[in-house]
């Protein structure tokens, strides 16, 4: 694997629809045996997962990494809880932020960087229904403007 930023393997597109993302952190993932092979093959689903701080450690809950086809009896549990690697100061900061009401730790993207699987964790504040409607209106207006400009050319 070449050095530098690799391709994006999984992305949570609903996160920006459901949350205002205020801060983003890059974290490493503690993996077992065949999990990295499944991740490199792109067999990972980040949609229903979330992060939580438990006993001073950041945990990723409900991330689905499919079993590796050639893994036989050494395969992993697809939805096990995985530990995330962050600096202690960053975890302490996240503890303070997530104790406020309405904030959550949302996984945004999984990718390979310098041969290691990394995940972007966003600190998100939940959107209300009217915020989501406003975003959809703005998106539709932008689409209409782009379409009008394209027709004019």
């Amino acid at each position: 694997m070449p050095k530098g930023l690799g391709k994006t393997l999984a992305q949570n597109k609903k996160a920006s629809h459901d949350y205002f993302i205020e801060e983003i952190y890059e974290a490493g993932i503690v993996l077992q045996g065949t999990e990295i092979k499944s991740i490199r093959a792109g067999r990972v689903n980040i949609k229903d997962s979330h992060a939580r701080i438990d006993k001073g450690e950041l945990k990723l809950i409900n991330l689905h990494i499919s079993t590796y086809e050639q893994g036989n009896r050494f395969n992993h549990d697809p939805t096990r809880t995985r530990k995330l690697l962050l600096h202690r100061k960053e975890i302490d900061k996240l503890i303070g932020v997530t104790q406020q009401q309405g904030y959550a730790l949302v996984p945004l993207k999984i990718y390979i960087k310098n041969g290691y699987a990394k995940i972007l964790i966003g600190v998100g504040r939940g959107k209300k229904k009217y915020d989501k409607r406003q975003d959809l209106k703005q998106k539709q207006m932008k689409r209409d403007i782009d379409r009008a400009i394209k027709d004019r050319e």
Side-chain angles (χ1 to χ4, degrees):
M1 177 74 54
K3 294 286 184 189
L5 189 63
K7 65 177 182 172
T8 300
L9 301 170
Q11 191 167 4
N12 190 353
K13 295 178 182 177
K14 283 292 267 185
S16 62
H17 179 72
D18 293 337
Y19 298 95
F20 293 111
I21 305 298
E22 296 182 356
E23 288 184 69
I24 295 176
Y25 295 94
E26 180 184 61
I29 310 171
V30 177
L31 299 172
Q32 290 180 345
T34 56
E35 288 178 329
I36 189 65
K37 293 182 180 191
S38 292
I39 288 176
R40 285 192 176 141
R43 299 174 51 87
V44 59
N45 185 357
I46 196 173
K47 187 168 42 170
D48 296 328
S49 62
H50 64 282
R52 185 176 293 153
I53 298 174
D54 183 36
K55 299 177 186 171
E57 293 181 343
L58 189 61
K59 305 273 180 143
L60 188 61
I61 299 168
N62 210 19
L63 174 72
H64 188 277
I65 300 175
S66 298
T67 57
Y68 187 58
E69 292 177 7
Q70 289 82 27
N72 61 37
R73 65 181 179 167
F74 298 109
N75 261 325
H76 57 276
D77 178 28
T79 57
R80 74 177 183 87
T81 301
R82 292 165 179 91
K83 183 178 173 183
L84 297 180
L85 304 173
L86 277 176
H87 291 283
R88 172 57 51 196
K89 287 181 184 178
E90 292 173 333
I91 292 175
D92 291 341
K93 189 174 181 182
L94 287 176
I95 288 171
V97 170
T98 56
Q99 287 180 352
Q100 298 174 5
Q101 185 160 356
Y103 283 89
L105 298 175
V106 184
L108 302 174
K109 186 191 321 187
I110 292 181
Y111 56 94
I112 301 287
K113 181 178 179 182
N114 296 333
Y116 295 102
K118 301 285 185 177
I119 187 165
L120 287 182
I121 298 290
V123 176
R125 184 170 42 93
K127 286 185 180 179
K128 304 284 187 205
K129 201 174 244 183
Y130 57 84
D131 291 327
K132 293 178 187 180
R133 279 193 226 115
Q134 186 67 28
D135 285 348
L136 289 175
K137 285 180 189 176
Q138 289 176 351
K139 193 174 183 181
Q140 184 62 39
M141 288 181 357
K142 184 180 182 318
R143 212 178 280 146
D144 292 342
I145 291 169
D146 290 343
R147 192 175 297 133
I149 290 172
K150 184 178 178 186
D151 290 343
R152 190 171 264 187
E153 292 175 356

